[in-house]
Amino acid sequence: MVAEGPGVAVAELKAPASSLSAEIQVDLYRQMVRIRRFEEKSAQAFMRAEIKGFCHLYIGQEAVAVGALSALEPRDAVITAYRDHGVALARGTPARACMAELLGKKTGCSRGMGGSMHLFDRANHFYGGHAIVGAHTALAAGLAFAQQYESTGGITLCLLGEGAVNQGVFSETLNLVSLWKLPIVFLIENNDYAMGTSVSRSSAGLPLVNRGSAFDLAGRTANGMDVEDVREKVAEAVSLARTEHLPTLLEVATYRYRGHSMSDPDTYRTKQEIEEWKKRDPILLYRQRLEERQVLSESLAKQIDGEARAEAQDALTFAEESPEPDLDLAFSLPFSPEDQIDPIPRPRYSDL
């Protein structure tokens, strides 16, 4: 305790002051809670077989998406892999549209054609949600090339798992973005496990951020359990991309509490390891920090949690009551109508 005037004592602030406004700090906390409650509701829906196929939850990694995307402008592009629910929500895709897509409904953000791994929201410059490991990194380079070619002033943020760095396309993409000086930031979400294989058993040359040095990329690391640290490091990288057209490779250390997907029995790590990481839970630690800074009260935290739970339940109810997608759409989306394609003369062998 420190004294403030005769007979008056106030609590000493343990957490350092932040340059962020109280409004921004509370919003960062709110966004992480929204994602946590949404994912918990998704897990319940999957267990009731309302969600078909794979479902990769973001629980534990909320600080990465929230911190990183809070450093972007609306004109910037975002692209990620299949663990995409939290990224879509942080980018502004409505919870209803996300949940409806998970249930494969017509009102989903991909009109029910994509499911959990293929969320898409062009209005918010969120370009997926991609299931093929590492392949979206090349698409990210294409987005950044278009931004540079059209002088939009935007940059591209590409999130990928640590397992994707060993894909050949990633190395090819790093070479091109450095050679062409594209405005792009690659963010490795290193949760230590590529499915069930730890990064120490699958990847040489640790830390992974070193992969960028071969192509003269700037390198940064961040604590993925600390939303403000992620925001700060991504902001530095974004500034470099926007003003200097220099790409950056950022490695963010994080952890997922659930299995690789809902189908994963999670037998490759101990419960003790998971519990140790939960002590560094990004939401819990940030709440404590904001309370020490006196920008978040217990009543406000309770209100935020209640609103997040209500939003998640509303999203699920909306998805359950939404209509099934039009099956004709499944054929019309990937194929052009035949009458739009000029016939190609093909002589028959009998005519030769």
Side-chain angles (χ1 to χ4, degrees):
M1 306 290 281
V2 294
E4 186 178 271
V8 178
V10 297
E12 183 178 11
L13 300 182
K14 297 179 181 178
S18 173
S19 59
L20 302 175
S21 68
E23 181 181 9
I24 291 177
Q25 293 177 63
V26 171
D27 189 60
L28 292 174
Y29 177 77
R30 187 193 312 277
Q31 295 306 321
M32 288 195 293
V33 175
R34 284 183 66 232
I35 294 171
R36 178 69 60 88
R37 300 305 175 222
F38 180 92
E39 292 293 64
E40 291 171 346
K41 189 61 67 177
S42 300
Q44 295 170 10
F46 183 90
M47 296 302 290
R48 292 195 298 268
E50 291 182 286
I51 296 174
K52 308 297 192 298
F54 289 102
C55 182
H56 306 81
L57 301 180
Y58 205 64
I59 295 175
Q61 300 186 205
E62 295 91 347
V64 182
V66 172
L69 271 64
S70 71
L72 302 183
E73 298 180 5
R75 60 180 170 172
D76 297 331
V78 179
I79 188 169
T80 187
Y82 44 77
R83 200 177 304 281
D84 56 353
H85 309 168
V87 180
L89 290 170
R91 191 51 177 167
T93 304
R96 281 186 167 190
C98 288
M99 188 65 80
E101 190 58 42
L102 265 60
L103 268 65
K105 295 301 184 71
K106 188 176 184 178
T107 53
C109 57
S110 298
R111 293 190 278 180
M113 294 290 113
S116 169
M117 295 192 287
H118 301 96
L119 303 186
F120 195 89
D121 183 3
R122 185 176 181 180
N124 284 310
H125 296 291
F126 175 59
Y127 297 98
H130 295 267
I132 306 301
V133 175
H136 70 293
T137 58
L139 301 180
L143 289 168
F145 181 85
Q147 289 167 322
Q148 179 165 278
Y149 187 78
E150 297 176 350
S151 300
T152 67
I155 67 98
T156 294
L157 173 66
C158 175
L159 300 99
L160 62 150
E162 80 288 334
V165 302
N166 295 323
Q167 297 293 323
V169 64
F170 182 56
S171 295
E172 296 174 46
T173 301
L174 293 186
N175 178 60
L176 277 184
V177 301
S178 180
L179 194 64
W180 293 346
K181 299 188 182 305
L182 299 182
I184 190 167
V185 177
F186 290 101
L187 190 158
I188 302 170
E189 294 189 84
N190 185 358
N191 62 23
D192 207 28
Y193 291 96
M195 295 187 73
T197 306
S198 69
V199 66
S200 61
R201 295 180 58 211
S202 64
S203 301
L206 301 178
L208 297 175
V209 68
N210 288 344
R211 300 293 177 95
S213 62
F215 305 99
D216 296 329
L217 265 71
R220 297 283 190 279
T221 59
N223 177 4
M225 311 305 273
D226 184 338
V227 66
E228 291 189 3
D229 190 53
V230 175
R231 175 187 165 97
E232 178 184 344
K233 301 299 172 50
V234 172
E236 293 173 359
V238 167
S239 176
L240 201 59
R242 201 184 308 280
T243 60
E244 305 293 335
H245 281 213
L246 293 177
T248 294
L249 180 61
L250 185 67
E251 181 181 358
V252 180
T254 184
Y255 198 78
R256 55 172 164 77
Y257 301 155
R258 308 296 289 261
H260 172 72
S261 73
M262 287 295 293
S263 305
D264 180 5
D266 206 6
T267 56
Y268 44 84
R269 54 184 181 175
T270 65
K271 292 182 179 178
Q272 181 182 6
E273 176 184 311
I274 298 172
E275 292 305 314
E276 286 298 316
W277 272 94
K278 285 184 176 180
K279 294 177 182 177
R280 289 175 269 174
D281 182 81
I283 297 176
L284 174 64
L285 293 183
Y286 199 53
R287 174 176 174 171
Q288 292 174 347
R289 187 185 301 172
L290 296 191
E291 289 176 344
E292 291 171 359
R293 290 174 179 166
Q294 300 176 358
V295 299
L296 181 71
S297 64
E298 183 176 352
S299 61
L300 179 55
K302 186 175 181 180
Q303 176 187 330
I304 289 172
D305 188 62
E307 292 171 349
R309 290 177 186 274
E311 181 187 35
Q313 180 57 56
D314 172 75
L316 180 59
T317 301
F318 171 80
E320 291 171 337
E321 296 175 350
S322 292
E324 299 290 336
D326 185 351
L327 292 183
D328 291 338
L329 195 62
F331 295 95
S332 63
L333 286 177
F335 302 110
S336 297
E338 291 185 4
D339 58 2
Q340 292 183 11
I341 303 175
D342 294 332
I344 301 174
R346 298 183 186 277
R348 296 175 299 181
Y349 284 109
S350 59
D351 297 332
L352 297 177

